[in-house]
Amino acid sequence: PLPAPRLAAAQMEDKRAHTWSVPISRFTSVTPNLIVRDVARSTAFYRDVLGFVVKQTVPDEGPFVFVWLERDGVPVFLNATHAVAEDYPDAASRPAGGTATMFFIVSEVDALHAAVAPHAPVVMPLKTQFYGMREFDVTDPDGHILTFAERVG
């Protein structure tokens, strides 16, 4: 640990680092925008295993290159690898899932675990973490890690 004067200086430096001048913008949301190998398979996982609802697709009839899903106001976008190739030319050569993870805050995590665990690869079993969250992790068909967590205690 840093001595008190050095800690205070480090905290001030950290505070200054976050006050740089940027255009006046307000962030209003963030949506996971996942690149997937098989849109139909990933759509089925998010819809049938996790309970998401399809809000929009491109095109209107399958096979889809884009699907917008939502559950309880939480959106997730799925994009076919070949459909994003113009904007992200190296997307097809990247490993599926890569290091992308999503952290969902939920209610009734034990009930969600009971419903989801039999249908998805569990990579971290349901447990209560030292930081006060009860959580478990699964992977989607492309290897994205999904954490579902509920504040406890």
Side-chain angles (χ1 to χ4, degrees):
L2 292 174
R6 289 186 62 203
L7 178 61
Q11 288 171 335
M12 284 301 295
E13 184 60 35
D14 187 54
K15 192 173 191 177
R16 281 193 298 273
H18 297 301
T19 58
W20 66 89
S21 178
V22 294
I24 302 300
S25 297
R26 187 173 158 261
F27 288 23
T28 59
S29 71
V30 62
T31 301
N33 191 11
L34 305 177
I35 298 171
V36 300
R37 293 176 293 199
D38 184 331
V39 173
R41 181 181 66 177
S42 293
T43 299
F45 175 81
Y46 283 87
R47 183 190 59 223
D48 302 340
V49 175
L50 299 180
F52 280 74
V53 174
V54 174
K55 300 290 283 186
Q56 185 176 355
T57 63
V58 175
D60 291 335
E61 299 293 326
F64 305 121
V65 297
F66 170 83
V67 175
W68 167 10
L69 298 125
E70 195 170 285
R71 177 173 175 176
D72 303 320
V74 176
V76 173
F77 292 169
L78 305 175
N79 290 274
T81 303
H82 68 277
V84 299
E86 184 177 327
D87 292 328
Y88 310 113
D90 67 338
S93 65
R94 292 183 182 181
T99 59
T101 68
M102 291 188 284
F103 193 90
F104 295 89
I105 304 295
V106 302
S107 63
E108 306 298 329
V109 72
D110 289 78
L112 182 63
H113 178 267
V116 171
H119 307 287
V122 175
V123 294
M124 185 185 77
L126 182 65
K127 63 182 177 179
T128 301
Q129 301 284 19
F130 71 92
Y131 44 84
M133 300 296 279
R134 185 156 174 79
E135 59 192 49
F136 70 99
D137 294 10
V138 301
T139 58
D140 75 4
D142 285 277
H144 300 104
I145 298 170
L146 314 178
T147 301
F148 300 96
E150 178 178 26
R151 172 82 46 208
V152 294

